[in-house]
Amino acid sequence: MIEQNKDQDPDQAWRARRHRAGVTAFLSGLLAALAFFAFFPGLPHVIDWGAILVSLAVGGLAQWCCQSWISRAAKAKAKAEHM
C-alpha cells in the first residue's frame, strides 16, 4: 500500500485525498442533520421524507464546502511556493 502511494503522481494523490475528504464531509453532514431531526427537543421524533431530503442537502453542502476549502488551500500553497 505504501509503495502504491509512492508510485502515484502528486496530483492524483491530491485528488484521491480531496475525494475522501468530500465523502467524509457528506456523510458527517448527512448524519448530523438526521440526528438533529431525530433527537432535537420540540420536534416530532419522526424522520419523514422532508427530513431525509434536507439531510441530503446538508450533506451535499458540507461536501461542497470541504472540497472548495481544500482546493483553495492547495491554490494558496502553490502560489506561496512559486513566490
Side-chain angles (χ1 to χ4, degrees):
M1 187 72 138
I2 294 172
E3 295 160 0
Q4 183 182 12
N5 288 340
K6 289 180 182 177
D7 293 338
Q8 289 181 346
D9 64 346
D11 191 42
Q12 185 180 5
W14 176 80
R15 283 194 306 263
R17 192 175 323 117
R18 183 176 177 262
H19 178 73
R20 280 193 308 270
V23 169
T24 302
F26 176 79
L27 291 175
S28 298
L30 176 77
L31 293 175
L34 280 175
F36 173 80
F37 284 114
F39 299 112
F40 193 79
L43 292 176
H45 299 301
V46 177
I47 299 295
D48 60 354
W49 283 108
I52 292 171
L53 292 176
V54 169
S55 297
L56 287 172
V58 169
L61 181 65
Q63 179 182 17
W64 177 75
C65 290
C66 179
Q67 288 182 339
S68 65
W69 179 50
I70 289 171
S71 297
R72 188 178 19 197
K75 286 180 185 177
K77 181 180 177 183
K79 187 176 180 181
E81 288 177 358
H82 290 299
M83 289 186 153

